[in-house]
Amino acid sequence: MAEIKHSLDPVREALREFEEAVRRSAPKILKSSKVMERQEVDRARTRVMDAIMELVRTTLREKGVA
């Protein structure tokens, strides 16, 4: 069986752009410390990537590839 590779780089780049857009649009009053903001963004990105990977794994299992 041929090895299938999936690159999530386009997803990561889209997420980064989205994060920047949200950050720019947030009112100053809602902005907290840079460290807390960065941690929150990192947790959100991890959740999104985990959900995408689970979707990929489920799709591959359904297709009988994995």
Side-chain angles (χ1 to χ4, degrees), residues 8-66:
L8 293 177
D9 290 340
V11 175
R12 286 187 183 102
E13 180 63 22
L15 279 173
R16 187 193 62 72
E17 290 175 13
F18 178 72
E19 292 163 8
E20 289 300 319
V22 169
R23 193 174 294 118
R24 283 190 305 270
S25 69
K28 296 275 186 208
I29 197 164
L30 295 179
K31 292 185 180 182
S32 57
S33 76
K34 292 291 182 187
V35 172
M36 289 176 62
E37 179 183 324
R38 185 85 257 156
Q39 289 172 340
E40 188 175 338
V41 168
D42 289 344
R43 283 191 298 272
R45 182 186 308 111
T46 298
R47 286 192 304 271
V48 170
M49 294 305 292
D50 289 347
I52 291 169
M53 288 305 298
E54 184 58 33
L55 178 62
V56 168
R57 283 191 286 271
T58 300
T59 301
L60 291 174
R61 273 194 305 272
E62 289 172 356
K63 291 184 179 273
V65 176

